[in-house]
Amino acid sequence: MDIVELYIALGASLANHVGDDQKPTYLAGAQEAWEWFRNSGMINGDSLTNDGLDPSTCQNDGKPTYSYNQGVILGGLVELYWATGDASYLDSAGAIADAVTRPGSSMLDRSGILVDDCDRTQTCGGDGVQFKGVFNRNLRKLQEARPTDQWKAFLETNAKSIWDKDLSVVDGECRVGVYWGGPYAEADASSQSSGLDALTAAFAVTGQ
């Protein structure tokens, strides 16, 4: 249901960037979409967002909990908070962020590094390479709105793993591979942008 998540994030962001005459329209749309999403069952009992809704039952279909599913909704909820000042949006975002970043989460490997299914099988390709960057970029937004030691440590740990295990310097160029926990796999534009999201997020919340 990434379309609904994107609608929430885009609508709330537009509400924060348009004039006062247009803000109510975008904000109302984002809030309505969030209320539907919150009540749809897409956020499962572990506080993680699954990827799909069964059209025949309108119930959560139990598909994977990709990192970008968690990241997009985090960004949207922070934007809703900025637009309204309603801290309940941060409460909802915090529950999802905690579910991803707490030790032992199904979204992490044994070292606390964010993984999607394709990372575990080392088969990431196409847009899947960018999923983790989406999460870290939006966790940074949440950390700046309501900081916690857990989220800060997560961002630091993932950035350090990239630096130590998933980086290659070739002809003076610093390249970030696909698998943040290593081993380094050939970098491309997607892995580079995803890794940079993680590195800049960690820098932003630590200043180093």
Side-chain angles (χ1 to χ4, degrees):
M1 295 304 292
D2 48 301
I3 293 176
V4 178
E5 294 174 85
L6 288 168
Y7 185 90
I8 295 166
L10 180 59
S13 180
L14 285 169
N16 287 319
H17 291 88
V18 298
D20 290 342
D21 58 329
Q22 294 178 297
K23 178 176 179 176
T25 299
Y26 290 111
L27 179 58
Q31 288 176 310
E32 183 178 353
W34 164 243
E35 285 305 309
W36 179 89
F37 190 85
R38 183 171 66 88
N39 294 311
S40 70
M42 291 305 303
I43 302 174
N44 65 32
D46 295 325
S47 295
L48 294 171
T49 301
N50 291 91
D51 193 50
L53 194 73
D54 186 332
S56 65
T57 64
C58 288
Q59 299 294 315
N60 189 327
D61 63 9
K63 287 187 176 179
T65 53
Y66 295 118
S67 55
Y68 86 99
N69 288 117
Q70 323 314 313
V72 172
I73 197 63
L74 289 191
L77 288 168
V78 174
E79 292 283 354
L80 280 171
Y81 165 70
W82 287 338
T84 64
D86 184 346
S88 69
Y89 293 119
L90 295 185
D91 295 339
S92 297
I96 296 169
D98 283 344
V100 175
T101 62
R102 69 169 57 100
S105 168
S106 62
M107 301 291 299
L108 307 179
D109 69 10
R110 292 181 180 179
S111 300
I113 307 306
L114 185 63
V115 291
D116 285 300
D117 287 347
C118 67
D119 292 284
R120 293 188 172 94
T121 58
Q122 296 194 358
T123 58
C124 290
D127 60 348
V129 174
Q130 294 188 300
F131 287 177
K132 300 187 297 293
V134 173
F135 178 79
N136 282 46
R137 182 173 68 248
N138 286 294
L139 182 62
R140 167 193 171 178
K141 291 173 67 172
L142 179 59
Q143 173 70 10
E144 291 173 339
R146 179 184 282 179
T148 75
D149 290 341
Q150 178 172 302
W151 304 337
K152 180 182 177 182
F154 168 87
L155 291 170
E156 289 182 287
T157 296
N158 279 261
K160 187 176 188 306
S161 184
I162 290 171
W163 196 262
D164 292 343
K165 301 178 181 179
D166 193 31
L167 207 65
S168 176
V169 179
V170 179
D171 297 329
E173 295 183 358
C174 189
R175 302 176 182 177
V176 180
V178 177
Y179 311 113
W180 292 357
Y184 172 79
E186 186 65 29
D188 60 19
S190 293
S191 69
Q192 192 82 341
S193 65
S194 185
L196 287 174
D197 275 334
L199 293 170
T200 56
F203 179 82
V205 302
T206 64
Q208 49 183 299

